[in-house]
Structure formats: C-alpha cells, structure tokens
Amino acid sequence: MNDSADSPDLNAAELRRAFGQFATGVTIVTAPGPVGFTANSFSSVSLSPPLVQWSVDLSSERHDIFAHAKYFSIHIIDTTQRDLAEHFARVGEGFGSCDWHIGAYDIPQIKGCLARFDCRQYAVHPAGDHSLIIGEVLNAEVGNASDEGLIFYQSRYGAFTPL
C-alpha cells in the first residue's frame, strides 16, 4: 500500500493536463429515466465474463442514478454526434435532439452509434472522487455509422487520423 506521506504533492491542474495527454474515445451512457451521461472513461475489462467499465464523478447530479442503475447502455459515438456528447456532458435529459428508442430493460438506445453495449450492473467501487461502474455486457452491437469515432484529447474533441 502506498503511504500518502511518501507521495509528492500533486498540482490538480497539472495532473488534469497530464491526464489530457491520453486520447480517449467518447461514449454516452444511458439508463432508464431516460437519462444520459457523456463519459470518456470507458474501457473493456474482460471477455469472460464480458465486462466493461466507466466512471462517474461523485459530485455529478447524475451520479446516484447511474451508480444505482441495474441496467445501462454504453454508446460509442462518432464525430457527427459531437453535439450529443456536449449536450449530455451538461444535462441528462433532452433526448429529443437525437434518434432514439427504449430498448430492453427500459434502457434508452441512441441510433446511429458506432457500437452499443447493453449492460447489467456487475459492481460499483469507490475510486477517489469517482465511482467505478462495471457492467456485464448482455448484448453488443456494431452500428453502421459512416464517420470516424469521436476522440477527446487535450480537452478538445477530434477524430483519429491514420499515419
């Protein structure tokens, strides 16, 4: 275990800037309500059982909704859906600006995404100022979106450019 007395004092702004050097994909997580949340903390965890994870800030007004949601969907979005990412980063309501429907387990499903993972909550762990939410993937679909995946890098949105 790391003793905090042995750790150097970290400047929060510098730490955030350093974290920003890692490009991430952008997702919208949805849960019954309907409610949505933009997250760039998504990653796969395990193939057997099929698990994914993402995290939500404890100070978010939507924290408790997602931390207690039995089911949720994670949508990997493309560059044409940037407005949705910006919208759900600010507020959880307002699905009228996108093409969506209620799917299995009453989860809102956004159409036109690159991929979607429908999940059952597997575990929620405290993780500093966030909760780490792990979901068991019940269904995975690859969409027919024709654009590039939306990327978040250095606090800006962008797209992948192959070398």
Side-chain angles (χ1 to χ4, degrees):
M1 179 173 248
N2 187 11
D3 185 349
S4 61
D6 295 333
S7 300
D9 289 333
L10 291 175
N11 175 295
E14 277 300 302
L15 182 60
R16 179 182 286 271
R17 195 167 141 245
F19 284 156
Q21 300 308 304
F22 184 70
T24 64
V26 180
T27 67
I28 296 174
V29 184
T30 59
V35 63
F37 188 91
T38 299
N40 68 333
S41 57
F42 167 78
S43 69
S44 60
V45 174
S46 170
L47 288 174
S48 183
L51 301 175
V52 295
Q53 69 86 33
W54 68 286
S55 61
V56 59
D57 193 314
L58 295 172
S59 67
S60 170
E61 292 177 2
R62 289 166 274 167
H63 172 274
D64 290 351
I65 294 169
F66 284 101
H68 298 292
K70 185 172 180 179
Y71 297 98
F72 57 90
S73 288
I74 299 172
H75 305 77
I76 298 176
I77 63 173
D78 68 31
T79 56
T80 68
Q81 297 169 310
R82 177 181 171 179
D83 288 347
L84 285 178
E86 291 174 344
H87 171 80
F88 287 115
R90 291 186 309 274
V91 296
E93 298 80 32
F95 281 79
S97 62
C98 64
D99 190 7
W100 69 286
H101 67 277
I102 296 292
Y105 312 104
D106 292 325
I107 306 169
Q109 296 179 345
I110 299 170
K111 295 182 181 178
C113 295
L114 294 175
R116 188 187 75 245
F117 303 92
D118 301 325
C119 304
R120 174 176 41 229
Q121 186 187 99
Y122 185 84
V124 177
H125 299 287
D129 60 3
H130 281 64
S131 288
L132 180 65
I133 300 174
I134 300 175
E136 178 183 12
V137 179
L138 303 174
N139 180 54
E141 291 187 14
V142 176
N144 293 321
S146 60
D147 210 345
E148 297 282 331
L150 187 62
I151 304 287
F152 194 69
Y153 176 66
Q154 295 183 344
S155 299
R156 295 177 299 184
Y157 291 106
F160 173 74
T161 303
L163 298 176

